[in-house]
Amino acid sequence: MLTQSRSSVSLLNLPAQNVLVPVVETRVQFVQALEKSAVRAMLLHHCNVFEFSALLGRACCSGCSVYVNMDHIDGIYADEAGFRYLAEHLHVTGIISSHPKALATAKQAGLETVQRIFAVDSTGLKMALESVDTNCVDMLDFSPARVVPYIMPRLKPRLPLPYMASGLLHTADQLQVVLSTGVQAVAVTHLERWL
């Protein structure tokens, strides 16, 4: 069993100075993210999770939480055994998915769950929000991030879950507008642009 040298955080309790969460797709990006003191959580996306097993142990020991995007990952199947393996052997903190069944199964395996909501139009947003089961979902991830300031005033009272934003942020001004909504985390690619 690994021991953690820094106190572990999750997307649910990120300190205000650590709200930028890198999206990691390569081993090089993973190492670069671990070396930044401002990074306390990261998202694995478009990779094979087993290629990161040693790095996942290193992240756990340093108190950095790792979340796996189950809709865009190779190497693990989204079932009870796969989720238990992620939690117990690979030291993953949680998953991200747009599939309610995967989220419910991951929650039963003891993982934190983040439901991805694609807000491409009002009908799609409504259908996605209707699928949210607050017993199985810890956080919502709205994409693209730039819609968050427009949809949050109506959604917060109806769905009082913490939320994050991801995708299509290109400028510091766009990032500041999203941060002003009270977002818990912002997933970013090219972390070096933002730190």
Side-chain angles (χ1 to χ4, degrees):
M1 175 146 239
L2 296 169
T3 57
Q4 297 188 359
S5 58
R6 289 197 280 188
S7 62
S8 183
V9 298
S10 80
L11 290 174
L12 304 174
N13 64 7
L14 282 175
Q17 68 271 22
N18 302 112
V19 297
L20 297 184
V21 178
V23 176
V24 172
E25 296 180 350
T26 68
R27 292 176 59 81
V28 170
Q29 290 173 331
F30 197 112
V31 170
Q32 289 171 341
L34 271 181
E35 291 172 348
K36 301 236 185 256
S37 63
V39 173
R40 300 305 304 268
M42 67 178 79
L43 312 175
L44 287 184
H45 190 77
H46 290 298
C47 57
N48 183 318
V49 72
F50 288 105
E51 293 174 4
F52 292 83
S53 57
L55 290 171
L56 289 166
R58 187 172 153 198
C60 179
C61 287
S62 69
C64 183
S65 298
V66 178
Y67 294 77
V68 174
N69 185 324
M70 292 305 295
D71 302 343
H72 300 283
I73 200 86
D74 294 328
I76 283 283
Y77 188 71
D79 63 4
E80 185 179 348
F83 291 133
R84 271 200 324 269
Y85 194 86
L86 282 174
E88 297 169 10
H89 299 285
L90 296 179
H91 313 287
V92 167
T93 303
I95 68 147
I96 298 172
S97 179
S98 58
H99 302 288
K101 183 178 178 192
L103 293 161
T105 305
K107 189 70 174 170
Q108 290 173 342
L111 291 166
E112 288 181 13
T113 55
V114 180
Q115 185 165 347
R116 192 106 195 257
I117 305 286
F118 294 101
V120 294
D121 61 31
S122 57
T123 303
L125 176 62
K126 182 179 182 229
M127 289 175 49
L129 291 172
E130 287 172 355
S131 73
V132 174
D133 180 350
T134 56
N135 295 315
C136 301
V137 176
D138 296 309
M139 176 181 263
L140 299 173
D141 173 20
F142 290 95
S143 182
R146 294 188 330 197
V147 304
V148 168
Y150 303 102
I151 62 175
M152 271 308 115
R154 289 180 291 130
L155 294 183
K156 263 188 173 177
R158 290 185 11 218
L159 207 54
L161 288 171
Y163 62 98
M164 65 183 287
S166 59
L168 295 178
L169 289 175
H170 301 289
T171 68
D173 289 341
Q174 292 169 346
L175 175 63
Q176 288 307 315
V177 169
V178 170
L179 289 173
S180 73
T181 67
V183 68
Q184 185 71 26
V186 179
V188 295
T189 54
H190 310 295
L191 184 65
E192 66 281 356
R193 282 180 45 200
W194 306 105
L195 292 180

